[in-house]
Amino acid sequence: MSATGSRVRAAKGQGGLLRDQLLDIADQLLEDGGAEALTIRAVATSAGVSPPAVYLHFASKRELVHATCLRVWSSLFGELEAVSRDIPDPVTALYEICVAYIAFGLRHPSQYRLVMTGEATEASRRNEDECFRYFRDRVAACADAGVPVTSRTETARVLCAGVHGAVSLLIHQDRDAWPPDRDRYVGRAASSAVHGALRTASRTSGPSMVDVTRPG
């Protein structure tokens, strides 16, 4: 919904509905033009309301930006659960989770940048912490199934570095610099993150030619 001048009004007692409509507009502005395009005035103009009507729901642009980002992020964990729910092998489940995470970041580059690498708020810090705990729990499931893991926290940290790096490498570049086969990139990056984190979870020796040329 981005047609300028299309008035959005909420009936009495439906302030929550108007807030969601404003967030829909803010989300589109953010996707189309980045954080610079998302302003209180731009949202008000697209909604057909006055800026004070927007301020009734969001005290500042900063609050509006992060409410928009975190609403998108709130869907992430549902996606991660959906792709892994019926997979009994915890390592395979972890791989599918990493695929979904990287794909999510590439679908929502503006929101990802603002929450993960932009100006932090308490809400975005909580979101980052929740992401880390989620991955640590998944590493723990692998360890409980027999994967040798010396430190679950350290292994989760290494894993998060891999998937976060895979997203960040692309979203800070122009789209025409992204790999032509995005699905292949996502799958390989996820595989690298999982294999790297789990295969080094109980040893500290560096790789060698034997490791990279050995079949399987």
Side-chain angles (χ1 to χ4, degrees):
M1 183 193 307
S2 59
T4 301
S6 57
R7 182 167 296 276
V8 176
R9 291 189 181 276
K12 186 176 181 180
Q14 293 185 318
L17 176 60
L18 176 59
R19 185 179 192 276
D20 284 342
Q21 292 171 326
L22 295 175
L23 286 172
D24 286 340
I25 293 170
D27 183 64
Q28 192 61 56
L29 289 169
L30 188 58
E31 289 282 4
D32 291 344
E36 296 76 14
L38 178 49
T39 65
I40 296 290
R41 183 171 295 279
V43 170
T45 299
S46 293
V49 299
S50 65
V54 180
Y55 280 115
L56 288 174
H57 298 276
F58 307 99
S60 64
K61 173 186 173 178
R62 185 168 182 255
E63 183 177 315
L64 172 63
V65 167
H66 280 272
T68 305
C69 292
L70 292 173
R71 188 177 69 153
V72 171
W73 274 83
S74 70
S75 67
L76 172 61
F77 297 103
E79 292 184 28
L80 300 185
E81 284 297 314
V83 300
S84 61
R85 184 178 298 118
D86 299 323
I87 301 177
D89 181 332
V91 177
T92 301
L94 181 58
Y95 164 75
E96 294 296 342
I97 286 168
C98 289
V99 168
Y101 180 95
I102 297 169
F104 171 88
L106 298 183
R107 285 200 314 275
H108 304 287
S110 296
Q111 290 90 338
Y112 193 94
R113 281 195 300 268
L114 286 166
V115 172
M116 297 296 284
T117 62
E119 182 182 10
T121 66
E122 185 57 34
S124 62
R125 290 189 189 95
R126 287 199 304 269
N127 190 81
E128 292 176 21
D129 289 345
E130 189 175 356
C131 279
F132 179 76
R133 289 194 300 271
Y134 184 88
F135 277 101
R136 186 174 57 192
D137 288 345
R138 290 298 180 158
V139 168
C142 293
D144 292 342
V147 177
V149 175
T150 302
S151 170
R152 299 177 183 193
T153 296
E154 179 185 89
T155 301
R157 189 173 290 123
V158 170
L159 181 68
C160 288
V163 294
H164 173 63
V167 175
S168 297
L169 177 67
L170 297 193
I171 65 174
H172 289 93
Q173 302 182 44
D174 293 333
R175 289 294 184 100
D176 59 7
W178 289 24
D181 189 341
R182 192 187 308 180
D183 289 343
R184 173 177 165 78
Y185 169 81
V186 170
R188 188 174 180 188
S191 180
S192 176
V194 173
H195 280 102
L198 296 184
R199 286 187 174 181
T200 60
S202 62
R203 63 180 184 178
T204 57
S205 60
S208 67
M209 281 294 295
V210 173
D211 294 321
V212 297
T213 57
R214 183 170 48 206

